Amino acid sequence: MEHAPEKPVIILVRPQMGENIGGAARAMLNFGLTEMRLVDPRDGWPNPKAIAMASGAAGRVLDHARIFPTLAEAMTGIEFAFATTARGRDLSKPVYTPATAMEKARSQPGRVAIIFGPERAGLENDDVARANAIVTVPVNPDFPSLNLAQAVLLMGYEWGRDTLPPEPSPHLGRAAGEVMADRIEIEKLGDHYEERLDEAGFFFPEAKASSMKLNLRNMWSRLTLTQGDVRVLHGLLRQLTRK
């Protein structure tokens, strides 16, 4: 049985604002990432603004965050590291998008880290030099700056996308207890509309009536309706055609 890859470590280098550290913790937990390492946070640690921003469950990411004086020490146990940067570098390293970087991360046998720089200027060349590869987001070149928490969220999403459903559930917003209409109920709804539209002379000219009815039936079959939806549509038609 194939083992799941280890989750990446998130390393924030010289983060400046506690709110951004807390926001990064929330972004991490959104996609199941729990190990944060902080390098020389500007305002010290612990930071009450970070704790307030993490709000609730994400606070446990901060509770277990480890503090290091240098990036070199923060990379203890890391076998492959990605440095996130929007700026061009003179360093010769492979460059990935977030999607391709996390695809590579999933194939790595050891611990992987994703390194993020301080809010004002990002990672320095000395920081990037300690990484194996660079991750750059293909954003608007006229405004390439991402908020720290946004950048963490983006990488977390790309890491977790293999375990996420490919599409949102079509019934995600359905109220609790609602029951989907079955094919017979949809069929009867189609019959009801076809009868009333026929009486109203909708299917005209006669030569096109058959294809018009087929298209209408096909439309009903494409709709995702609850039993409540079907009752409303029956009632609406009855009211409109009431003499």
Side-chain angles (χ1 to χ4, degrees):
M1 183 176 177
E2 192 173 325
H3 292 289
E6 287 196 73
K7 297 175 182 179
V9 175
I10 301 299
I11 302 178
L12 308 185
V13 178
R14 299 180 296 280
Q16 296 169 315
M17 298 179 63
E19 295 90 339
N20 286 335
I21 299 173
R26 294 181 67 162
M28 288 171 60
L29 199 57
N30 283 150
F31 299 101
L33 304 180
T34 56
E35 186 171 348
M36 175 186 282
R37 299 183 186 182
L38 302 174
V39 176
D40 189 24
R42 184 188 67 180
D43 297 334
W45 196 258
N47 186 309
K49 291 182 178 178
I51 295 167
M53 187 64 185
S55 181
R60 72 173 184 259
V61 175
L62 300 182
D63 291 341
H64 295 95
R66 298 169 62 191
I67 315 301
F68 297 87
T70 67
L71 176 58
E73 291 169 279
M75 292 178 68
T76 300
I78 300 300
E79 297 181 30
F80 196 98
F82 296 93
T84 60
T85 177
R87 295 184 287 120
R89 301 287 180 170
D90 296 329
L91 302 171
S92 178
K93 289 184 185 293
V95 179
Y96 296 92
T97 65
T100 55
M102 293 302 92
E103 182 179 347
K104 182 171 180 61
R106 283 188 286 271
S107 69
Q108 293 298 313
R111 298 303 309 274
V112 170
I114 310 169
I115 306 169
F116 299 85
E119 295 90 324
R120 185 178 295 276
L123 293 169
E124 297 178 358
N125 279 345
D126 284 348
D127 303 317
V128 177
R130 288 181 163 79
N132 300 84
I134 288 172
V135 182
T136 296
V137 181
V139 294
N140 177 4
D142 295 328
F143 190 67
S145 177
L146 284 178
N147 172 273
L148 177 59
Q150 291 174 328
V152 173
L153 182 72
L154 182 58
M155 298 301 293
Y157 169 76
E158 292 296 349
W159 168 262
R161 66 187 304 177
D162 272 8
T163 60
L164 298 171
E167 295 291 341
S169 166
H171 312 312
L172 193 59
R174 196 172 75 225
E178 283 194 329
V179 179
M180 301 309 298
D182 62 26
R183 301 321 304 168
I184 296 299
E185 290 166 320
I186 300 295
E187 187 75 16
K188 290 181 178 178
L189 181 65
D191 291 343
H192 188 188
Y193 271 77
E194 187 173 307
E195 290 167 10
R196 295 295 176 265
L197 290 171
D198 207 0
E199 292 170 1
F202 176 78
F203 300 111
F204 180 84
E206 187 174 346
K208 294 186 177 180
S210 178
S211 63
M212 291 173 72
K213 290 178 180 179
L214 180 63
N215 289 337
L216 189 61
R217 187 71 62 170
N218 187 49
M219 182 194 77
W220 290 119
S221 70
R222 292 200 310 269
L223 297 179
T224 303
L225 299 173
T226 66
Q227 290 180 345
D229 295 333
V230 169
R231 288 192 294 270
V232 168
L233 289 169
H234 277 299
L236 183 150
L237 185 58
R238 281 192 291 268
Q239 189 66 25
L240 286 174
T241 56
R242 181 174 292 174
K243 295 181 181 179

